Every structure is written in C-alpha cells, then in structure tokens.
Amino acid sequence: MGCASADGDRLSGEQIDAIREEDNIRQWNAIVPEEWNLARPQVEPVERADPNWRNAIVNACMVDAGFKGVTEVGDSVAISVGEPDPRAAALAYYECVAQHPLHVPAIGYLSRTLRAALYDYLTTRIVPCLRSFGYDTSAPSTREDFVASYY
C-alpha cells in the first residue's frame, strides 16, 4: 500500500496558467528594456516546445513575422532585421517565445508557483506518508524559505 492519491496530484489549470504567466513576465523583462515603457501583450500559447527544438521554432516564427532570424550569442539573442527597429524586433521575439513556451517537465524548471505547489505536496502528502510508515523526518523549512531557495 502506498501513499499516492487517486487523481495523481496534478496541477490545476489555474496553477498552470500562473506558471506560464510568471515565465512570460520573466521573458518580457529579459527582452524589453524598462525605459521603452512598452505594455506587455497577452499572448496565447500555440504549442509547448521541447527545449531541443525551441530555438528552431522561435526562429521560424521570427521569419514568419518578417525578420531574418534569431542567433544566440551567449546568454543573449541577435535578431537580423532589414530596417532596424529594436522595439518591433523585441516585441516579435517576445510574442514568438510566449507562443511557444518551454515544456516545463522537459527542462526541470520550477517556477515560484510550481515550487510552492511542490512544497505543499511534500508537506501534505510525502512527509505524512513517510511518517505513517515509521520514518523519522526533520521539520520542513517554511514555505517561503523553500520557495525562495529551491530550484
């Protein structure tokens, strides 16, 4: 007899939406300089992208948007444009990235929302389960500390 629940403890639609929104905000802040004062558009995802193929997918999306493409340069990105308009390029890049979010389980990325859900799962399911089988467990850290320090 185990301790797994019948529903598999899946994330709710609200939790998935919160994770996607958190990642979109992080992407926007990395792509668009604050001094441009641009409003972040709401973008609906088209498909979740495998990390091995996302660059090719985003590059194709940029070409479809009228840009020659995207080249990774270290931790940043170079976008080829005919007539340089950095705002238009950044906006198009953000929209392409947001339309093709990374498939979270494939990369192991845990957003703050997902880390909070993991903490709740560990403290309400796993720890009580282990204790019910006679295992000693140390007291868990606070939820806030766990979310701030766990990656």
Side-chain angles (χ1 to χ4, degrees):
M1 177 172 165
C3 295
S5 68
D7 66 5
D9 294 308
R10 292 198 168 99
L11 292 174
S12 69
E14 292 85 19
Q15 288 173 309
I16 292 169
D17 289 344
I19 292 166
R20 189 180 76 226
E21 181 66 8
E22 183 179 318
D23 189 54
N24 284 345
I25 291 169
R26 185 181 58 79
Q27 292 286 347
W28 178 260
N29 291 337
I31 295 166
V32 178
E34 191 174 328
E35 61 268 14
W36 286 359
N37 292 321
L38 294 178
R40 184 176 61 88
Q42 293 299 313
V43 179
E44 288 299 316
V46 175
E47 66 177 334
R48 285 180 263 162
D50 181 285
N52 296 318
W53 298 103
R54 187 183 197 198
N55 291 339
I57 293 168
V58 170
N59 197 352
C61 178
M62 290 296 291
V63 170
D64 290 346
F67 297 93
K68 293 180 184 170
V70 179
T71 305
E72 288 188 52
V73 182
D75 289 339
S76 60
V77 172
I79 302 171
S80 302
V81 293
E83 294 192 20
D85 180 354
R87 286 181 173 93
L91 184 59
Y93 182 73
Y94 170 76
E95 288 176 352
C96 287
V97 167
Q99 287 174 355
H100 305 283
L102 285 173
H103 185 55
V104 174
I107 59 170
Y109 168 76
L110 298 178
S111 68
R112 291 184 67 80
T113 303
L114 193 52
R115 291 191 308 262
L118 177 60
Y119 178 87
D120 293 343
Y121 177 75
L122 291 172
T123 58
T124 63
R125 305 278 305 151
I126 299 298
V127 170
C129 176
L130 290 171
R131 289 178 179 163
S132 75
F133 283 101
Y135 290 96
D136 288 329
T137 61
S138 59
S141 62
T142 66
R143 190 173 199 255
E144 293 76 24
D145 288 345
F146 183 86
V147 169
S149 63
Y150 182 80
Y151 297 98

